[in-house]
Amino acid sequence: MPDLVSDSGQSSVVPLSPDSQTPVVCPLHHGLKPPISRLSLSWSRGNSLRVSVFRKPAEDGEVGGKVVEVKLGDGDGEIGDAQWRRIAYGSVSPFALLQSRKNSMLSMSRVSASSSPYGAEWWDYVMEYSREINFLLGGQKLPPSSVIEDPKTVLKDYDSLLSGTQPTVHSKLLNFEKELVGLQAIEEDAKYWEAISSALAVGWLDIAVKMLRLHGSYQLDQLGSRELENGLVEAVAVLISKMPRMRPGLAPGKLGECYKTKPDFIKAWETWRAQITKLDCSAFWVQCDHRQTREGLKNLLQIMLGNANILSSATCHWIELHISHLLYIRPFTMGLESMYSLAQKCMQLKPMSSPHKLMRLLLGILGENIEVVLAECSRSFGPWIVAHAVELLTAGSTQADILLHEERYNLGGISMEELHRLVYAQVLSSHALTWQAWDLEVSSLIRSQVRNLIAPIYLTSCMKQGMGLLEILLYKQPVQHNKILLKNIEICRLYELDNVRSKMTKIAGVHQWKHGKKGSGVFWLQQARDEVRLNRIAQQLFDFVGKSISDESFKQWEGLIELLGSETRTAGGLEFLHKYRDFKRSLQQVHDGIATAAAQKAAESLILLMKNPSTPHRFWLPLLYDSKDFSFSLVRIWIGELSPEHKIVTHWYSFAIKGRDLSTTANPTILDPSKKSDPMLDNDREVLSGFTSPRPVTFVRLRRSPSCCQGSVLSLLFPRPSTSSPLDNRAHSMANTSQTLDLEGLHCEMHGIAEKIRIMNVNNVRLIQHLTTNNPPPPPTTPVLDVERSRCPQRSGDDESQSHRSFSDTLKGSARSWFIKLSPGTIDSFGDLSWLFVVNFMSCKFNQAVLEVKEPSDEVVIMAMMVGLRLGPLFDSLSKNVPETMSTLQSKADKYIAAEELTEAK
Amino acid sequence: MAMNGTPHPLLVHRLPQPNYIDFVRWVPPLSALDRLVAAAVFDSSSSTSALQILSLTQTQTQTHPADLTLQSSWPSPSRITALSLSLLRHKPLLAAATADGSIHLIAADPVDLGVDSVGSGAIHAGPVSGIDLVEGGSEIVSVGDDGRVNLVSLSESRLSHRRVFDGNGLVGFAAAKWASPAEFATGGLGFGVQCVDNRKPGGPVSQFRGNWARGTSSGIVHSIDIHPSRKHTVIAGGSSGTVFAWDLRWQQQPIILSGVATGEAQAHSPLESEVWEVRYDNYMHSLNIGNISSSRILPVMTCSEDGILAVVEQDEEPIELLAEPCAINSFDIDGQNPSDVICSLEWESIAILSRP
């Protein structure tokens, strides 16, 4: 075996063989850009080498390496890849046709309950199949009819089949043909007679007769003097051309008399032999004075009479001898009877130096040994032939039928037929795949489908393991390229492999998603109906809720919502997302300073959002956060339109917004001071007072006036809480913990109490008065403030102080004490105050705050607690498993507090 | 063998090729005697791609089959994923897009039939999925899986491009087609079709969204075509045997020519699988096109993954021209002689049809 040495500069592999003077250079296409840094070689299947080519790890984004398979052919009788593929493609249709016929025949026989599933019809089908396959393999390339007339045609196939080195009848004839030109008196040459007898021995009657007629006695000038000689030659020639053959017909130009039935043939054979014997014994031979002619012709007669010794000397190869035996000694042989022993006898007489692979197969066939035939087929000719030959082997042979269709334990319960088909299918599909796994270039991934598409036809003809293997093969297919994927999906559709299909599309979806092709990602996931992943994508989209995002990512976000569509099954929140998107859009327009109509629209979307049952409750706060820059009057509209349960979440928040709105009074250009007496402001107070009431308080429905929709300029005046404030953290953690905060039960519960609240609302003022007067004095607690307090001087104003007063009136307990403790000048505005309040009571001392709200619903408390909780172990634990009751929450929290304290103490 | 349900005798030649044929196109004849074919081939044994010019010697008898002879070949750096052809100053100009995102303009020499690259450039990040050369020019519109639409033009043997649209991966395109030198249409994921006027910036002029929302019944548009005399109508072929026409004048209601994709009960459709290519079939209709109402869709030829080459017409049973055991990946109708159709088959062969 020649060594293979790399030539990295030339990107080619050079086989160097020490014994040959000129090395053969075979360029190897690997498609990698130079420089090649490393090359590794290993054996692959058969006579193939696996060459791994590596580049230096480069930064230019090129493929780092490739594996190429090099087939080491000796150019002898091997067929090319393209030719092989043509055979593979061409054999699919005949095979599929035969299989479908077989299936229909089987089902027919089941219906008619006939004893044998295969009849004469089946035989016809198999013959048709055989013909088609045969045609595919190159078909009937007939040997040249005359060596003499067309010296250029050679029996190349015949020669290479028997032997490349040993002499054969054909090579003998060919050699003689070369000498023919130089011969004067042909009949004097011993080789002439040898050639004729050899041709006759193997049954090439036409060649023998043609050569006989080259005999010198046919020359016109000699005919007179050699009349008897010529008569003998012609007599032999006629006898040769009259040789009886038992066959339906002969090709034009072929000699011999055809007989269709055996009795006719036997009769003709006897007559023919009698004629030969008669000629052999005639007296004319004595009169023939040309020795070579006499002996040569006598020899020919002996061949026709079946003289074993002469046959043996006339032939070269054992197969030739075998044929001559069949022709002249055992003309009546039927089938394969005793053919094997004859073959062995012939082989003893004419031993082979290097048997061709076909010989072993031939012996197997002669010996009627199916196992040998199969083994030889697969060893010498590969899985293709075995997969396709099985039908031919089993037709008409019960023994083979049983052998091939029997389910074998050692094969895993499948039959040999199935095994061979499986092997072939695997070769078809994995041939390119097994070594291309490294190949990252898309283009070469496409190629694996080429052969793959025909594999299923073979696999589906396998009863047991076929579909399983097909599934595996399909899973192994690359999904990166849409075209291959679609072709594979088509296979799934044809063979009803829905689960494979959905898995493949799922994988494709994830792949595309991960590679930034979100559009195709979502598309394939939708094709796969992968609710889980689509939901997850939707959840990611929820993360955006309540956050300010850049235009670019908003576009992306918007696009994704568009992609996900509004399928209700996919994530219940999609409808919400769609509405939210509309809201965001109009909000953006407001920011861009476009008209009040946009603001109106934004407000309407917000109301729609808040009212819609599909809006997850956990998004109420983020939603409000989004609209924090809005005028409060605008928010009031929706507050008025909302059902009571919303306010549990929103009333704290509304302080923040309201606070800002109130502070606008400092800017008389925006809000007229005359608004003090505006009933709307009174309502604001109601909002305030409603805050501390044990149950949320509903507000009087307000008329919607366009003036309410003016964008708030206050957001500019009013400083936003610093980004590090817990409020921002909260908004963030909320979005992340998503489902954990879902309070579906709350909705129903609140619906029931809505009516009560409405009644309460009527007596609102009185109730508040009652509550505030009966409050016990505040306990001396000092809550920790997380927010850096603004040190701006306090602005005084009637409104402001009024709101402070009424605000403090609504508080009790620690809340009140906290408020009282706030040093003057700390709070810039009512807005600040409310922010601080929210932040303070959300971030710490939760328990006390809870206690100070009378009869809180457990869910509300838990939710509020979750909202306020900082990120940490307790939060993680709670989000995984949301407690249902306050007591479980309490005990859990206690445990975590204890743990935390222990850690701190260490 | 050739009579696959067609009422007329149809001459079919199947010519096995040594390579996998990705795309096949008729090349307008350079002289009266030539019949030329351009084929984007892929050799799976060496993993190399090339653009080949083959000449066809065709006889009108069934017994003596036609033959394709290789005239010239241009090696492609990567697998060709789209191919388009136009005539520029009576010379065939080919545009080939590849899997590595590059686009190549290749001119065929009318004298020796040689092919040479006149310009190339790396335009897309991933595979280019659709490409179209403007008629009688060298301007190219190219689209990719990555959701980008580029206008590519030749300047001093280099291809430069201008990005018309960037979907940022949210959309994926698979097909593009010029309607006029200034307008083109694209098609892609979710049965989406977009019409773009490159004189108007800011995305598509109009777009059809298909039916994203219906989930599994959605699909991909693989190919689109626009008739030069019916620029308001885009025909598109895609998944599940879907062929539809989208009329810009009635944008909400596409006209379904074949397939079940939009949920409408179609009586019978021979096409069930991916429709890889669609093309207006101007055979038989070349004379009386003026008589056909402009709202009626002209006949469309399609080829599909299930091996069917068919002509579909509005409100009529499709005519099957060819039913192969393997997929038909691409086809082309001869512009000069519309009775002749060439198609590339999955099992490495080319089929040539001559309609009566």
Side-chain angles (χ1 to χ4, degrees):
Chain A
M1 190 46 57
D3 281 322
L4 292 175
V5 184
S6 94
D7 183 355
S8 57
Q10 299 293 312
S11 357
S12 62
V13 173
V14 190
L16 280 180
S17 108
D19 24 87
S20 83
Q21 294 300 313
T22 46
V24 189
V25 181
C26 311
L28 181 66
H29 301 281
H30 52 66
L32 278 182
K33 282 188 187 166
I36 306 299
S37 70
R38 215 147 53 83
L39 205 65
S40 131
L41 295 174
S42 64
W43 280 110
S44 180
R45 288 169 69 104
N47 57 342
S48 298
L49 271 183
R50 192 173 289 176
V51 183
S52 315
V53 192
F54 300 96
R55 295 182 77 229
K56 281 207 181 69
E59 52 295 313
D60 52 1
E62 284 289 325
V63 184
K66 269 199 184 179
V67 184
V68 191
E69 201 153 273
V70 184
K71 203 167 185 184
L72 304 171
D74 48 3
D76 175 36
E78 296 288 338
I79 54 163
D81 263 5
Q83 175 72 12
W84 187 85
R85 287 200 300 275
R86 195 180 295 183
I87 292 171
Y89 291 135
S91 49
V92 175
S93 300
F95 181 83
L97 181 67
L98 191 73
Q99 292 306 317
S100 76
R101 279 173 170 169
K102 190 179 180 175
N103 289 340
S104 66
M105 281 178 77
L106 279 173
S107 57
M108 287 277 281
S109 73
R110 236 173 260 140
V111 170
S112 63
S114 110
S115 53
S116 158
Y118 310 121
E121 230 178 318
W122 175 245
W123 187 254
D124 287 343
Y125 292 153
V126 172
M127 286 312 287
E128 189 187 323
Y129 168 69
S130 163
R131 271 195 298 276
E132 277 180 57
I133 297 285
N134 196 14
F135 175 75
L136 200 70
L137 291 175
Q140 314 278 341
K141 270 191 225 140
L142 290 168
S145 54
S146 164
V147 180
I148 308 302
E149 277 169 17
D150 189 1
K152 286 212 173 112
T153 6
V154 278
L155 292 167
K156 202 177 157 198
D157 289 352
Y158 175 82
D159 243 9
S160 65
L161 197 72
L162 292 183
S163 164
T165 49
Q166 278 181 303
T168 60
V169 170
H170 175 245
S171 61
K172 214 190 232 179
L173 287 173
L174 226 58
N175 288 338
F176 175 69
E177 199 181 345
K178 281 177 199 150
E179 292 171 29
L180 195 62
V181 194
L183 288 177
Q184 280 297 320
I186 191 171
E187 65 274 13
E188 313 246 310
D189 195 331
K191 276 185 185 158
Y192 170 67
W193 295 106
E194 256 178 56
I196 297 176
S197 51
S198 292
L200 182 63
V202 292
W204 295 348
L205 306 180
D206 48 339
I207 292 171
V209 169
K210 263 177 200 155
M211 284 179 77
L212 270 180
R213 294 208 167 127
L214 293 174
H215 193 272
S217 62
Y218 282 96
Q219 305 279 320
L220 278 176
D221 54 334
Q222 295 181 22
L223 204 58
S225 58
R226 304 167 76 173
E227 204 176 335
L228 181 82
E229 206 181 320
N230 181 255
L232 282 171
V233 174
E234 184 58 27
V236 172
V238 168
L239 276 176
I240 291 173
S241 60
K242 293 280 177 197
M243 181 179 172
R245 315 290 297 266
M246 205 186 107
R247 52 197 301 166
L250 282 169
K254 295 286 163 191
L255 299 175
E257 305 260 289
C258 294
Y259 295 93
K260 284 183 179 106
T261 59
K262 201 172 177 182
D264 287 351
F265 174 64
I266 295 172
K267 223 162 100 186
W269 182 261
E270 295 302 336
T271 323
W272 184 64
R273 276 188 60 110
Q275 283 168 348
I276 296 168
T277 325
K278 199 174 159 192
L279 180 64
D280 197 29
C281 303
S282 77
F284 295 116
W285 297 108
V286 190
Q287 292 166 34
C288 179
D289 49 8
H290 194 261
R291 188 182 52 86
Q292 283 97 336
T293 306
R294 193 179 61 233
E295 283 174 6
L297 291 176
K298 278 275 204 181
N299 207 31
L300 293 181
L301 291 182
Q302 284 305 309
I303 286 174
M304 286 192 278
L305 288 171
N307 184 322
N309 289 335
I310 293 173
L311 282 178
S312 176
S313 61
T315 52
C316 306
H317 197 273
W318 75 263
I319 289 188
E320 290 167 353
L321 182 62
H322 195 268
I323 289 166
S324 67
H325 269 254
L326 289 177
L327 279 170
Y328 301 106
I329 301 177
R330 306 179 184 184
F332 309 126
T333 310
M334 294 289 283
L336 293 175
E337 58 176 281
S338 68
M339 287 268 252
Y340 185 67
S341 57
L342 176 64
Q344 282 193 319
K345 213 169 85 190
C346 293
M347 277 166 78
Q348 272 171 5
L349 285 166
K350 309 236 174 229
M352 287 176 295
S353 54
S354 57
H356 189 271
K357 48 190 177 182
L358 251 185
M359 293 301 138
R360 294 192 298 261
L361 179 59
L362 211 57
L363 277 175
I365 293 171
L366 291 178
E368 288 188 278
N369 192 336
I370 306 288
E371 274 155 322
V372 170
V373 172
L374 273 181
E376 285 302 330
C377 275
S378 73
R379 188 166 68 154
S380 320
F381 305 99
W384 176 83
I385 194 122
V386 196
H388 290 87
V390 165
E391 298 295 353
L392 300 175
L393 287 171
T394 52
S397 164
T398 330
Q399 187 209 346
D401 195 53
I402 294 167
L403 184 84
L404 287 164
H405 293 128
E406 183 191 23
E407 284 169 10
R408 280 151 194 272
Y409 175 72
N410 58 358
L411 295 179
I414 58 169
S415 66
M416 275 173 77
E417 179 191 57
E418 189 169 341
L419 173 79
H420 287 296
R421 279 179 194 164
L422 290 174
V423 169
Y424 178 56
Q426 203 157 17
V427 166
L428 279 175
S429 46
S430 63
H431 187 245
L433 264 179
T434 45
W435 52 276
Q436 270 192 341
W438 293 13
D439 204 333
L440 296 172
E441 199 187 10
V442 180
S443 63
S444 39
L445 288 171
I446 303 172
R447 90 176 247 207
S448 55
Q449 49 138 332
V450 176
R451 284 169 207 143
N452 180 46
L453 289 180
I454 55 178
I457 292 166
Y458 292 90
L459 286 171
T460 45
S461 71
C462 299
M463 304 288 282
K464 297 206 155 176
Q465 306 283 323
M467 294 315 267
L469 183 61
L470 178 59
E471 285 185 25
I472 292 166
L473 290 175
L474 283 170
Y475 284 137
K476 280 165 80 179
Q477 294 302 303
V479 295
Q480 291 86 327
H481 198 271
N482 278 353
K483 205 162 181 178
I484 315 174
L485 184 65
L486 287 167
K487 279 177 188 275
N488 288 327
I489 285 174
E490 173 67 10
I491 295 174
C492 296
R493 192 180 69 85
L494 282 176
Y495 300 107
E496 291 166 352
L497 294 168
D498 277 350
N499 56 332
V500 183
R501 181 196 126 104
S502 87
K503 274 179 199 151
M504 279 193 329
T505 42
K506 216 177 272 184
I507 295 165
V510 173
H511 180 275
Q512 301 281 19
W513 176 268
K514 285 190 173 168
H515 283 76
K517 291 176 190 165
K518 308 217 158 162
S520 2
V522 171
F523 172 77
W524 287 118
L525 287 175
Q526 279 174 339
Q527 295 285 302
R529 297 174 198 246
D530 188 349
E531 305 295 338
V532 178
R533 283 185 187 81
L534 286 172
N535 267 330
R536 208 171 291 161
I537 289 170
Q539 294 304 340
Q540 283 189 16
L541 296 181
F542 282 126
D543 286 358
F544 282 94
V545 175
K547 275 199 235 165
S548 48
I549 46 174
S550 68
D551 279 2
E552 193 63 22
S553 45
F554 179 70
K555 250 188 194 161
Q556 185 90 7
W557 181 82
E558 221 182 351
L560 275 174
I561 291 176
E562 195 75 15
L563 287 183
L564 283 172
S566 54
E567 255 177 306
T568 40
R569 230 154 32 90
T570 326
L574 271 180
E575 198 190 334
F576 159 72
L577 276 178
H578 274 260
K579 295 212 175 75
Y580 181 68
R581 180 200 56 201
D582 297 339
F583 166 61
K584 265 292 220 204
R585 267 191 199 147
S586 40
L587 206 60
Q588 214 151 29
Q589 285 178 322
V590 175
H591 281 288
D592 297 345
I594 305 171
T596 48
Q600 172 92 41
K601 215 172 142 197
E604 275 168 21
S605 331
L606 184 60
I607 289 160
L608 268 174
L609 263 176
M610 291 300 279
K611 283 175 76 179
N612 198 300
S614 77
T615 304
H617 298 191
R618 60 197 155 100
F619 290 124
W620 290 344
L621 265 176
L623 275 174
L624 291 169
Y625 181 77
D626 269 336
S627 46
K628 64 184 182 295
D629 295 339
F630 255 178
S631 146
F632 174 65
S633 6
L634 199 143
V635 180
R636 259 188 329 204
I637 296 169
W638 61 258
I639 287 181
E641 293 198 354
L642 286 176
S643 59
E645 67 264 38
H646 289 88
K647 282 149 201 158
I648 296 175
V649 185
T650 56
H651 63 276
W652 289 21
Y653 206 89
S654 58
F655 273 114
I657 298 154
K658 175 172 168 65
R660 285 183 223 175
D661 211 25
L662 287 174
S663 66
T664 55
T665 47
N667 191 343
T669 53
I670 295 188
L671 281 182
D672 198 289
S674 66
K675 272 194 174 177
K676 267 185 275 182
S677 56
D678 194 308
M680 278 191 245
L681 278 183
D682 293 334
N683 271 310
D684 293 346
R685 244 158 262 142
E686 279 182 278
V687 175
L688 277 174
S689 48
F691 164 63
T692 43
S693 70
R695 290 280 182 193
V697 180
T698 338
F699 309 98
V700 179
R701 179 176 285 261
L702 295 167
R703 64 196 148 83
R704 198 180 300 175
S705 80
S707 70
C708 297
C709 302
Q710 284 169 359
S712 167
V713 192
L714 294 175
S715 53
L716 299 171
L717 301 169
F718 183 65
R720 279 191 52 158
S722 75
T723 44
S724 62
S725 80
L727 191 76
D728 272 14
N729 285 341
R730 191 204 58 226
H732 181 71
S733 61
M734 275 214 30
N736 272 343
T737 53
S738 47
Q739 288 152 313
T740 56
L741 298 176
D742 221 66
L743 299 173
E744 294 303 325
L746 182 70
H747 191 88
C748 307
E749 193 201 326
M750 286 306 174
H751 220 77
I753 62 169
E755 186 59 24
K756 278 189 219 163
I757 290 166
R758 205 184 50 77
I759 300 160
M760 272 169 64
N761 202 30
V762 181
N763 305 316
N764 195 17
V765 182
R766 209 173 38 170
L767 181 70
I768 291 165
Q769 280 170 352
H770 174 78
L771 282 168
T772 42
T773 47
N774 288 317
N775 266 345
T781 44
T782 46
V784 183
L785 289 180
D786 282 5
V787 182
E788 195 194 332
R789 291 179 194 175
S790 154
R791 287 284 164 189
C792 295
Q794 191 186 7
R795 255 182 304 216
S796 59
D798 279 317
D799 277 335
E800 196 92 316
S801 52
Q802 195 186 359
S803 7
H804 280 239
R805 198 171 49 243
S806 53
F807 179 60
S808 62
D809 284 350
T810 61
L811 297 173
K812 61 173 185 174
S814 66
R816 197 188 166 99
S817 72
W818 168 78
F819 178 74
I820 289 163
K821 278 195 154 198
L822 285 171
S823 49
T826 313
I827 304 299
D828 176 27
S829 66
F830 188 79
D832 265 358
L833 172 64
S834 45
W835 277 117
L836 281 176
F837 184 84
V838 169
V839 164
N840 178 46
F841 285 96
M842 277 193 170
S843 57
C844 73
K845 301 297 173 197
F846 179 77
N847 279 346
Q848 273 156 338
V850 170
L851 291 172
E852 285 145 31
V853 180
K854 280 185 190 167
E855 299 171 42
S857 142
D858 272 5
E859 281 110 320
V860 179
V861 172
I862 290 161
M863 191 203 65
M865 153 101 186
M866 296 284 289
V867 169
L869 203 59
R870 283 189 214 133
L871 286 173
L874 174 61
F875 181 82
D876 291 344
S877 160
L878 288 176
S879 23
K880 277 174 211 147
N881 193 5
V882 184
E884 279 174 8
T885 62
M886 194 58 205
S887 55
T888 35
L889 174 76
Q890 191 86 53
S891 63
K892 203 167 203 172
D894 286 345
K895 280 177 200 162
Y896 274 85
I897 289 163
E900 202 176 306
E901 280 167 355
L902 271 172
T903 333
E904 273 169 28
K906 270 199 169 178
Chain B
M1 229 171 129
M3 306 280 303
N4 287 305
T6 47
H8 319 287
L10 181 73
L11 225 52
V12 181
H13 298 296
R14 286 177 188 77
L15 309 167
Q17 299 293 306
N19 302 307
Y20 186 88
I21 317 289
D22 283 318
F23 294 96
V24 68
R25 297 281 181 265
W26 289 107
V27 179
L30 303 171
S31 75
L33 297 168
D34 291 322
R35 297 216 67 191
L36 297 174
V37 171
V41 302
F42 177 70
D43 184 351
S44 58
S45 38
S46 64
S47 271
T48 50
S49 301
L51 183 67
Q52 295 182 340
I53 301 287
L54 308 159
S55 72
L56 176 72
T57 45
Q58 198 176 14
T59 49
Q60 291 302 315
T61 54
Q62 187 87 57
T63 49
H64 204 276
D67 202 17
L68 283 169
T69 337
L70 177 65
Q71 293 293 336
S72 54
S73 174
W74 173 80
S76 169
S78 171
R79 189 154 184 174
I80 295 172
T81 51
L83 183 68
S84 177
L85 186 144
S86 84
L87 269 183
L88 181 63
R89 289 186 286 274
H90 306 290
K91 274 164 118 182
L93 189 68
L94 290 146
T98 65
D100 65 7
S102 61
I103 293 176
H104 308 267
L105 260 184
I106 295 135
D109 191 286
V111 184
D112 62 359
L113 300 175
V115 276
D116 208 4
S117 169
V118 291
S120 59
I123 310 292
H124 286 258
V128 186
S129 49
I131 194 174
D132 193 39
L133 259 174
V134 74
E135 205 168 310
S138 62
E139 181 105 312
I140 301 167
V141 56
S142 73
V143 294
D145 281 346
D146 51 1
R148 286 178 183 163
V149 180
N150 288 317
L151 284 180
V152 184
S153 51
L154 182 69
S155 56
E156 289 160 10
S157 83
R158 271 202 62 79
L159 291 180
S160 56
H161 71 281
R162 177 166 74 83
R163 187 158 302 158
V164 182
F165 177 73
D166 189 348
N168 287 318
L170 286 175
V171 269
F173 295 108
K177 181 82 189 169
W178 287 101
S180 72
E183 298 155 290
F184 60 86
T186 57
L189 281 179
F191 285 137
V193 179
Q194 300 79 26
C195 283
V196 184
D197 188 335
N198 60 19
R199 292 163 297 197
K200 295 174 190 163
V205 177
S206 47
Q207 53 186 320
F208 170 63
R209 281 195 194 281
N211 41 356
W212 269 116
R214 292 196 196 180
T216 48
S217 66
S218 186
I220 303 172
V221 168
H222 296 302
S223 169
I224 55 174
D225 197 17
I226 298 168
H227 198 280
S229 69
R230 304 276 171 90
K231 286 177 179 166
H232 47 79
T233 308
V234 179
I235 51 158
S239 309
S240 323
T242 307
V243 180
F244 65 89
W246 182 51
D247 197 324
L248 287 175
R249 299 168 299 180
W250 297 284
Q251 295 191 9
Q252 296 313 309
Q253 197 59 51
I255 300 150
I256 308 296
L257 299 176
S258 155
V260 288
T262 46
E264 279 173 38
Q266 201 78 15
H268 168 72
S269 167
L271 305 169
E272 291 177 335
S273 183
E274 306 299 315
V275 173
W276 290 124
E277 209 152 21
V278 287
R279 199 66 60 87
Y280 275 112
D281 183 17
N282 39 2
Y283 183 56
M284 308 282 272
H285 290 271
S286 43
L287 296 173
N288 54 356
I289 186 168
N291 301 339
I292 305 170
S293 150
S294 79
S295 58
R296 189 176 163 77
I297 307 300
L298 298 171
V300 176
M301 191 181 280
T302 64
C303 71
S304 73
E305 176 67 21
D306 39 16
I308 309 278
L309 182 77
V311 178
V312 290
E313 265 189 87
Q314 196 177 358
D315 309 324
E316 268 177 55
E317 282 283 296
I319 305 160
E320 240 174 80
L321 294 177
L322 203 61
E324 290 291 309
C326 60
I328 300 176
N329 287 327
S330 80
F331 75 92
D332 194 25
I333 303 169
D334 194 347
Q336 256 80 18
N337 186 9
S339 70
D340 288 0
V341 181
I342 190 164
C343 40
S344 70
L345 310 180
E346 179 79 18
W347 290 350
E348 303 192 12
S349 56
I350 285 178
I352 295 168
L353 286 86
S354 306
R355 289 184 276 179

